[in-house]
Amino acid sequence: MQELPKQYAPSSIENKWYAFWEENKFFHSEPDKREPYTIVIPPPNVTGVLHMGHILNNTIQDILIRRARQLGKNACWVPGTDHASIATEAKVVQKLRKEGIKKADLSRDEFLKHAWEWTEKHGGIILQQLKTLGASCDWDRTRFTLEPELYDAVIEAFIDLYAKGYIYRGKRMINWDPEAKTALSDEEVIFKEVKSKLTHIRYQIEGEENYIVIATQRPETIMADAAVAINPNDERFNHLKGKRVIIPLINKAIPIIEDDYVDIEFGTGCLKVTPAHDKNDNEIGIRHNLEVIDILNPDGTLNADAQILVGLDRFKAREEIIKLLEEAGALDGEEEYTTNMGYSERTDAVIEPRLSLQWFMKMEEISKPALDAVVNGEVNFHPNKFVNTYKHWMENIRDWCISRQLWWGQRIPAWYINGSEEEYVIAKTEDEALEKARKKTGNAQLQVSDIKQDEDVLDTWFSSWLWPMSVFNEKDRDYYYPTNDLVTAPEIMFFWVARMIIAGFAFEHQKPFSNVYYTGIVRDKKRRKMSKSLGNSPDPLDLIAKHGADAVRMGMLFSSPAGNDLLFDESQIEQGRNFANKIWNAFRFLSMNRQDGFTYSSDLNIDANNLVDRWMLGRVNDTIEAMNDDFDKFRINDALKKIYSLVWDDFCDWYIELIKSETYGEPIPQERLATAFAIFEQLMKLLHPFMPFITEELWHAMKERDVKDAIIISSWPKPIQTDIANAESVKAFEAIQKAISSLRNIRAEMNIPPKVNFNLVIKTKNESATSLLTQNEWVFRKLDSIGTYETGTAVQKPKASASAVVDGNEFYIPLEGIVDFDVEKTRISKEINRLDGFLKSVEAKLSNEKFVANAPEDVLANERKKQADASTTIVKLKEILADLV
């Protein structure tokens, strides 16, 4: 075998192995007799580039899919991108603007040509970037939400839901994005707490010198006022009932009305009612049949109906109108005010409530199966804490505004007849629409020119809610659907997760997936969300180039338990890189010990008489079982920590040291090396889902292998059933580990040089301990510089010795001639003081009646054991201290 380079260089192997996996179709899946395991990628925006959130999310998906592959399942991870109506259209409009072209000057077809050209040039970049991370998606199955099949699926869903009475058209108050010039659903509005002002304005009572004062956050909309409302129970304003007031600046008289909605305690108790520009005011307007005056253009500027400040932006108009009110003597003052203001999730523009004719979907009835599925555990959330959030939203669900005033997207399949907005048909094609229009009107002479398709497109989420179904053709859907697991962020629980579950039951009559794993948000050390605007988000591709993909994957997972935010620090990536180097160097050391003709069996044949082998195999078995449990419970972070500890601590720091030759400079005995290689194989299999590149590299460096033997399709390890690698073996060796660690601590604290031998006297607690420590004297000698070695229940405690008590056994190092006695007395005194404090805390806990009454029995037993162990150790240390005086 070729010798490995001294340094691990990720860049030299990552492209090689990714190409190997792709060339051999290891990522590709076709239906067969195996159990399917399916994940659909949360489709990133076609405009997107890789960010830290993508790294976290897709690393977790890749871990799940790679392990499923190793478990022998038919693993299928479907990639793709979302057309992202608002974001993409904004990008294209921006590009055209730079070229001196206005969208308004283009026909729909001309604009869409530009949009497709832009998408083909820039779209899908993020999918290529995911390959650098090691994402093992089935790239042959890559989908795009605007490709023909998926487009048709969306249109057919609309037609089906319309026919069933779920979709309707109506004029309602909606959320309007003045920058994107489109309607938004409630879920696309992000509320932020902002500092604002309440402006107090005087409205003169008609025919009187007196006036009333209203308080408003939106003085720029007074020209659209239709009434002033008071609470009928507010005795302060009994004298106003039935009267009218004059709107300042435009001198228009409007009625004073009574409505229970008015909060007597808020502001002045008088509410300006502006039905066109506030949802609550609109409801009041409907109750009182008030005039609706819309004074804003779609871009947020004032229109001619405002009469004044026409053409000004709404926020500039607010500044100007305050000046005008002050000049007119109608300004009664201003006060600071904190409020929650809605912003567009896409453009960050302040949302404008707007009365608009839109398409809506009734949600109450159709969402009930999706609510039950999560509450009853048919669809499981990880962590489970998100179930209550989901339940609250679903129980208070509102109708979904599904139309968007854009061109990039699935065009609404509604066709208006003879220019009427009230008379229309729903059809998939123009020919079908014409046929339906002729039938509806009874006019067989209608022509294509007499019908016109709706200009609007459907909400992007109306396509992505079909994603787990629409990515498969009918045959494949029978095999792969429902999918298994979804990995996503909790902030799109309502945008996407809930709606996918709704769609699954609505169209396929079953859940779309069984588990939803919610990742946290990637934040910086100051707990700020990473973003380009803050400049606190590193480029993931730079991190991969610097540290390697495996290191980045490990670093992102070290501190990211499900549902909890990740506080990113590049040191975590460095920890991942250090781990890769540790593995590389460990294997390089083992491989350098291979002699001519060296072979090994992948079957683990350990020496039954060797406690170290029995312990190592026991640790491997325990880790496999614990990792399986972690994966079952979606504790990916915990599973990683277990294999990390097994590799770094147990195998590298202990096992390799103990299999070295007794003679310095001699190679490891080949039978011991063969066992180490077999164990290392198991470790690489367990580590592969987390670190795919280095494990594939080392897997092939261990022995010559065929393509069919690649680690990516190797079998996930199973615990080896044997009586010799049991819990007792693990416990026995762990006691030796503790003892050796204690001896090393004494050597360090007493400044005994590493090469200076010390004699070791061990007073054992029983004959079983004597046997264990006698048989494994070689372990102590292998790992430390020891002179004489004496053990037994009756040995005499040497005078003036450093000591440690481990599991009831007393370890003594006679110090005469090698250390300063005063230093040792100080050390023991400090340890006694520490244990005294520890003992008091345990006894305080056990004397707490409430704790004792409520704590589980195993917790109480553990606390009592701590108490007994600490008391015993203190007694023994005091005896040792007395011996030194």
Side-chain angles (χ1 to χ4, degrees):
M1 298 294 291
Q2 185 176 355
E3 185 176 331
L4 291 178
K6 288 184 178 181
Q7 301 294 325
Y8 172 52
S11 59
S12 67
I13 70 165
E14 289 175 355
N15 290 339
K16 174 182 74 173
W17 289 116
Y18 202 89
F20 170 79
W21 294 327
E22 283 200 287
E23 287 166 9
N24 290 287
K25 295 291 184 182
F26 288 131
F27 304 160
H28 185 58
S29 171
E30 290 291 342
D32 58 27
K33 294 181 180 180
R34 290 176 294 167
E35 176 189 350
Y37 175 84
T38 315
I39 295 178
V40 291
I41 198 171
N45 288 356
V46 72
T47 61
V49 293
L50 204 62
H51 59 61
M52 298 306 288
H54 292 133
I55 293 287
L56 175 61
N57 183 295
N58 287 281
T59 293
I60 292 169
Q61 290 179 81
D62 194 47
I63 288 168
L64 294 173
I65 209 79
R66 284 179 182 272
R67 180 171 178 268
R69 222 175 262 127
Q70 289 180 275
L71 287 169
K73 298 178 182 180
N74 190 351
C76 179
W77 183 12
V78 181
T81 51
D82 190 284
H83 64 278
S85 292
I86 297 175
T88 304
E89 186 150 322
K91 292 271 189 184
V92 176
V93 168
Q94 185 181 44
K95 169 189 173 290
L96 292 173
R97 191 183 298 127
K98 290 178 180 177
E99 297 171 1
I101 303 171
K102 293 181 180 179
K103 178 188 173 186
D105 296 334
L106 298 175
S107 68
R108 185 189 196 99
D109 288 343
E110 287 170 339
F111 177 82
L112 289 177
K113 182 180 179 183
H114 284 286
W116 276 109
E117 287 175 355
W118 189 92
T119 300
E120 286 162 6
K121 182 177 180 181
H122 299 282
I125 290 174
I126 190 169
L127 299 183
Q128 294 303 313
Q129 292 174 329
L130 282 175
K131 294 182 179 183
T132 66
L133 184 66
S136 56
C137 300
D138 185 347
W139 301 111
D140 293 338
R141 291 184 175 273
T142 302
R143 307 308 298 262
F144 177 47
T145 53
L146 271 190
E147 66 180 80
E149 286 182 12
L150 275 70
Y151 189 110
D152 287 349
V154 173
I155 300 305
E156 288 163 7
F158 181 99
I159 294 171
D160 177 69
L161 292 170
Y162 179 83
K164 291 175 179 175
Y166 287 113
I167 288 177
Y168 65 94
R169 191 166 187 250
K171 193 168 189 178
R172 289 178 47 184
M173 188 65 73
I174 51 93
N175 305 300
W176 183 261
D177 182 337
E179 186 171 323
K181 299 182 185 64
T182 182
L184 300 178
S185 67
D186 291 339
E187 291 70 43
E188 291 169 296
V189 179
I190 308 299
F191 284 93
K192 303 177 187 178
E193 189 175 274
V194 296
K195 288 184 178 180
S196 183
K197 286 184 178 180
L198 275 179
T199 303
H200 293 251
I201 306 173
R202 297 171 181 172
Y203 284 54
Q204 187 176 345
I205 301 171
E206 188 178 41
E208 299 181 17
E209 293 296 321
N210 298 322
Y211 58 84
I212 63 170
V213 176
I214 62 96
T216 179
Q217 296 178 66
R218 304 203 62 188
E220 73 278 9
T221 64
I222 63 172
M223 297 82 76
D225 288 353
V228 169
I230 57 173
N231 191 299
N233 300 313
D234 193 340
E235 295 180 358
R236 294 175 299 171
F237 302 125
N238 283 340
H239 66 289
L240 296 178
K241 293 179 179 179
K243 295 185 177 183
R244 294 157 66 87
V245 293
I246 306 297
I247 300 175
L249 304 181
I250 64 171
N251 298 319
K252 178 181 178 181
I254 54 175
I256 295 174
I257 62 173
E258 301 171 52
D259 198 284
D260 290 329
Y261 172 77
V262 180
D263 185 349
I264 295 173
E265 302 297 326
F266 180 78
T268 66
C270 295
L271 175 72
K272 67 188 283 293
V273 182
T274 317
H277 299 294
D278 183 272
K279 290 184 179 180
N280 295 315
D281 289 8
N282 184 256
E283 291 174 6
I284 295 174
I286 292 170
R287 287 197 292 272
H288 295 271
N289 196 30
L290 296 176
E291 182 183 13
V292 178
I293 306 163
D294 186 348
I295 64 166
L296 292 177
N297 292 313
D299 63 356
T301 58
L302 271 61
N303 64 28
D305 289 334
Q307 302 180 49
I308 59 174
L309 306 177
V310 175
L312 276 189
D313 176 78
R314 53 190 168 150
F315 296 117
K316 182 64 177 174
R318 181 178 301 176
E319 297 173 9
E320 293 300 317
I321 209 162
I322 289 173
K323 295 177 186 177
L324 294 175
L325 288 168
E326 187 170 18
E327 291 170 3
L331 183 67
D332 201 63
E334 293 180 286
E335 64 175 297
E336 297 294 327
Y337 179 67
T338 300
T339 186
N340 282 321
M341 189 170 290
Y343 289 79
S344 168
E345 188 262 344
R346 289 295 182 196
T347 67
D348 204 38
V350 175
I351 291 299
E352 188 63 50
R354 182 178 177 86
L355 201 59
S356 179
L357 190 60
Q358 302 285 343
W359 290 91
F360 296 89
M361 180 172 163
K362 297 176 184 176
M363 298 299 288
E364 186 176 1
E365 180 186 342
I366 200 171
S367 64
K368 286 178 180 176
L371 171 60
D372 294 340
V374 172
V375 172
N376 298 335
E378 187 178 354
V379 175
N380 295 293
F381 283 4
H382 306 276
N384 188 254
K385 67 181 181 181
F386 289 113
V387 170
N388 285 337
T389 310
Y390 176 90
K391 182 172 180 283
H392 175 76
W393 185 78
M394 293 289 279
E395 288 176 342
N396 295 277
I397 198 165
R398 296 182 179 183
D399 287 0
W400 177 11
C401 177
I402 58 174
S403 48
R404 296 292 179 270
Q405 286 63 57
L406 302 164
W407 283 347
W408 179 249
Q410 291 91 357
R411 193 171 180 181
I412 292 172
W415 306 75
Y416 301 99
I417 304 169
N418 292 324
S420 169
E421 286 197 345
E422 304 301 325
E423 193 171 19
Y424 57 84
V425 294
I426 303 299
K428 187 174 180 179
T429 66
E430 187 176 69
D431 289 344
E432 185 183 332
L434 182 59
E435 183 180 340
K436 285 187 173 183
R438 286 171 174 171
K439 186 175 181 181
K440 184 172 185 177
T441 61
N443 181 0
Q445 303 305 312
L446 279 179
Q447 301 300 312
V448 168
S449 59
D450 298 319
I451 61 172
K452 184 180 180 183
Q453 188 174 359
D454 197 311
E455 290 288 334
D456 293 348
V457 299
L458 288 159
D459 179 8
T460 297
W461 298 104
F462 195 85
S463 63
S464 54
W465 78 323
L466 303 175
W467 186 248
M469 298 172 282
S470 62
V471 296
F472 298 111
N473 60 36
E474 189 172 348
K475 174 191 168 188
D476 285 359
R477 195 180 306 134
D478 289 341
Y479 179 76
Y480 292 112
Y481 186 92
T483 67
N484 295 78
D485 302 325
L486 175 75
V487 181
T488 189
E491 57 259 40
I492 57 172
M493 184 191 302
F494 310 127
F495 284 128
W496 194 44
V497 178
R499 289 170 178 164
M500 280 191 290
I501 302 174
I502 293 169
F505 285 102
F507 298 111
E508 290 291 327
H509 311 293
Q510 58 180 324
K511 63 187 179 182
F513 32 70
S514 298
N515 297 286
V516 182
Y517 179 103
Y518 289 109
T519 64
I521 296 171
V522 183
R523 300 185 183 275
D524 64 15
K525 289 183 282 187
K526 297 179 181 178
R527 296 188 175 274
R528 300 175 301 175
K529 186 175 180 179
M530 287 192 163
S531 68
K532 287 183 180 178
S533 60
L534 288 175
N536 63 345
S537 181
D539 185 334
L541 297 179
D542 290 343
L543 289 174
I544 290 172
K546 182 178 179 183
H547 300 288
D550 287 337
V552 171
R553 292 164 66 109
M554 292 288 283
M556 293 298 288
L557 284 171
F558 275 134
S559 57
S560 58
N564 292 339
D565 290 351
L566 182 153
L567 300 183
F568 176 78
D569 189 326
E570 193 168 341
S571 64
Q572 296 158 347
I573 308 295
E574 291 167 359
Q575 184 182 357
R577 175 63 188 265
N578 291 341
F579 185 48
N581 287 336
K582 183 83 170 181
I583 299 166
W584 185 265
N585 291 335
F587 178 74
R588 189 168 177 274
F589 172 78
L590 293 176
S591 64
M592 289 169 63
N593 279 269
R594 289 185 285 195
Q595 302 295 292
D596 290 343
F598 171 80
T599 59
Y600 73 93
S601 168
S602 297
D603 297 327
L604 262 174
N605 299 312
I606 64 169
D607 182 352
N609 297 316
N610 188 315
L611 177 63
V612 176
D613 273 6
R614 301 205 310 272
W615 159 76
M616 191 66 222
L617 180 55
R619 283 289 296 120
V620 171
N621 283 346
D622 290 347
T623 302
I624 293 170
E625 290 178 349
M627 288 179 71
N628 287 341
D629 185 59
D630 286 335
F631 274 110
D632 289 344
K633 296 172 180 174
F634 287 83
R635 297 193 300 237
I636 314 300
N637 169 266
D638 290 341
L640 168 63
K641 290 177 179 176
K642 288 180 176 66
I643 182 60
Y644 178 89
S645 176
L646 181 67
V647 173
W648 188 301
D649 300 331
D650 297 330
F651 187 77
C652 294
D653 287 356
W654 286 93
Y655 188 77
I656 288 180
E657 289 300 314
L658 288 167
I659 65 169
K660 289 179 180 177
S661 172
E662 302 294 333
T663 305
Y664 181 77
E666 289 292 316
I668 296 172
Q670 298 300 280
E671 70 279 3
R672 308 289 301 124
L673 187 62
T675 302
F677 264 68
I679 292 171
F680 193 76
E681 270 201 3
Q682 299 299 303
L683 302 185
M684 292 301 96
K685 288 181 178 182
L686 291 171
L687 194 57
H688 176 73
F690 302 95
M691 304 181 79
F693 291 109
I694 192 171
T695 51
E696 192 75 78
E697 174 75 6
L698 296 180
W699 183 257
H700 290 271
M702 296 178 76
K703 62 167 68 170
E704 294 288 346
R705 301 184 195 267
D706 292 334
V707 169
K708 63 180 175 57
D709 297 321
I711 197 170
I712 189 174
I713 52 171
S714 66
S715 58
W716 181 257
K718 295 179 180 178
I720 296 173
Q721 302 301 321
T722 172
D723 293 333
I724 59 174
N726 52 29
E728 288 183 10
S729 299
V730 173
K731 187 177 179 181
F733 188 75
E734 285 176 348
I736 292 174
Q737 285 180 299
K738 291 178 186 176
I740 290 171
S741 296
S742 296
L743 297 178
R744 287 172 172 172
N745 289 339
I746 292 173
R747 184 182 283 277
E749 290 170 3
M750 306 303 294
N751 291 318
I752 303 173
K755 292 187 178 181
V756 172
N757 283 1
F758 57 68
N759 298 328
L760 182 59
V761 177
I762 310 171
K763 184 176 182 180
T764 54
K765 60 184 177 182
N766 53 40
E767 291 302 328
S768 176
T770 302
S771 175
L772 173 69
L773 293 168
T774 300
Q775 290 174 14
N776 290 283
E777 176 183 346
W778 70 273
V779 175
F780 287 85
R781 292 191 176 280
K782 196 75 167 282
L783 299 176
D784 213 332
S785 300
I786 295 174
T788 61
Y789 183 94
E790 183 182 4
T791 182
T793 56
V795 298
Q796 295 299 308
K797 177 180 68 176
K799 290 185 177 182
S801 55
S803 62
V805 180
V806 180
D807 288 348
N809 298 306
E810 301 167 31
F811 291 79
Y812 300 101
I813 298 175
L815 298 174
E816 190 170 355
I818 57 173
V819 297
D820 186 324
F821 283 3
D822 290 334
V823 172
E824 179 59 9
K825 285 189 283 186
T826 300
R827 186 187 73 81
I828 292 177
S829 296
K830 286 182 178 178
E831 179 64 6
I832 290 172
N833 288 336
R834 185 190 71 79
L835 286 171
D836 274 334
F838 175 73
L839 183 60
K840 285 176 183 176
S841 68
V842 173
E843 289 175 339
K845 200 179 287 186
L846 290 172
S847 63
N848 184 323
E849 294 180 4
K850 188 175 181 181
F851 171 77
V852 173
N854 297 317
E857 188 53 44
D858 60 327
V859 173
L860 285 175
N862 188 44
E863 292 299 319
R864 291 181 181 123
K865 184 177 185 302
K866 289 179 186 177
Q867 181 186 35
D869 289 347
S871 298
T872 301
T873 302
I874 288 171
V875 170
K876 290 179 178 178
L877 287 176
K878 285 182 175 178
E879 291 175 358
I880 296 166
L881 185 61
D883 190 52
L884 289 176
V885 174

